[in-house]
Amino acid sequence: MTFSILAFDQKTGTYGAAAATGSLCVGGWVLRGSLEAGLVASQGTAPSTLWRDAALGAMAQGMAAENAVKSITQADEGRAHRQLTTLDPHGGTGAFTGGESVVWAGHLAQTGLVCAGNMLAGPQVLDGLRSAYSQSTQPMADRLISALRGAARAGGDSRGLLSAALLVLSPDAPPLDLRIDHDARPIAALAELLRLARSRPYADWLHEVPVASDPNRAPKSLAAPQS
């Protein structure tokens, strides 16, 4: 019931993930990540949030994305109804699509990029997702919005879309975790929310909070210097 993309820009150390679905609250269900571990998307007819958290934990301990997927999915008797994709800090990817996933379902994986979906109009949806991302030269968040739009143009979720989400993690910026949980045009609403997040005064405040590359960052004091 969902299509998702996980991506890693090795030059900047930036991770990006996005997802959209014909149901509610896709961001809360599907996407998770951290700079230390990488990214995970857990989805399907009966998605497992346990898979999602276990995969992140395994990659944080140094397990490769592909091995994390194998270890977690093989241990679950309900795996036929689920999908899992992973992307580790080295750009390695892993993917699993259960045999009982609602058609059309599948995944595409390459170094630094993995896409997956189920209950889609067809395999062209994942091709549209990957192509739109790969052809964009914009910043990560914009590339992911373009990817979602590319998938939607290719047919998207066979029921239409109701929610969309975006997650961007960078060493030099606060986490960008945007979610549209219910909207008739969720990708457009997500793009508008991204625009607002880049607007003042919110965007000004983002330059005052700690980030991985500057964990002590804080507002400059307005007090007069002490003699």
Side-chain angles (χ1 to χ4, degrees):
M1 298 179 283
T2 303
F3 53 84
S4 64
I5 180 171
L6 308 179
F8 180 56
D9 183 340
Q10 199 163 19
K11 291 182 180 179
T12 63
T14 300
Y15 295 97
T21 189
S23 187
L24 309 181
C25 306
V26 68
W29 276 102
V30 174
L31 303 176
R32 287 294 184 275
S34 73
L35 289 172
E36 299 76 20
L39 295 170
V40 175
S42 178
Q43 57 201 50
T45 309
S48 175
T49 58
L50 304 178
W51 275 15
R52 182 191 66 197
D53 297 340
L56 270 185
M59 293 191 299
Q61 295 298 315
M63 185 177 288
E66 183 177 8
N67 293 337
V69 168
K70 290 179 180 178
S71 174
I72 291 163
T73 59
Q74 288 176 357
D76 184 350
E77 294 181 359
R79 60 186 176 274
H81 301 278
R82 317 193 216 286
Q83 282 187 302
L84 179 67
T85 57
T86 55
L87 192 158
D88 64 37
H90 304 288
T93 57
F96 171 84
T97 297
E100 295 295 324
S101 299
V102 180
V103 294
W104 188 87
H107 56 261
L108 299 172
Q110 62 191 63
T111 301
L113 183 67
V114 57
C115 305
N118 60 86
M119 199 183 280
L120 303 181
Q124 71 275 10
V125 177
L126 295 189
D127 290 333
L129 188 66
R130 178 173 61 178
S131 296
Y133 174 83
S134 299
Q135 292 170 8
S136 173
T137 59
Q138 297 176 294
M140 176 65 79
D142 303 274
R143 294 182 75 180
L144 293 170
I145 294 288
S146 294
L148 294 181
R149 286 173 168 157
R153 285 194 300 269
D157 187 312
S158 59
R159 303 160 301 168
L161 297 175
L162 281 179
S163 63
L166 178 69
L167 175 65
V168 178
L169 304 173
S170 170
D172 301 319
L176 181 67
D177 189 355
L178 305 181
R179 305 177 186 186
I180 302 298
D181 287 335
H182 184 273
D183 193 279
R185 300 176 65 242
I187 299 175
L190 186 64
E192 173 62 10
L193 186 56
L194 175 61
R195 185 191 69 79
L196 292 173
R198 289 169 165 169
S199 302
R200 304 181 68 177
Y202 185 80
D204 294 336
W205 174 72
L206 295 180
H207 293 288
E208 298 179 342
V209 299
V211 295
S213 62
D214 187 2
N216 299 310
R217 191 163 71 173
K220 294 181 180 179
S221 175
L222 297 179
Q226 298 296 314
S227 58

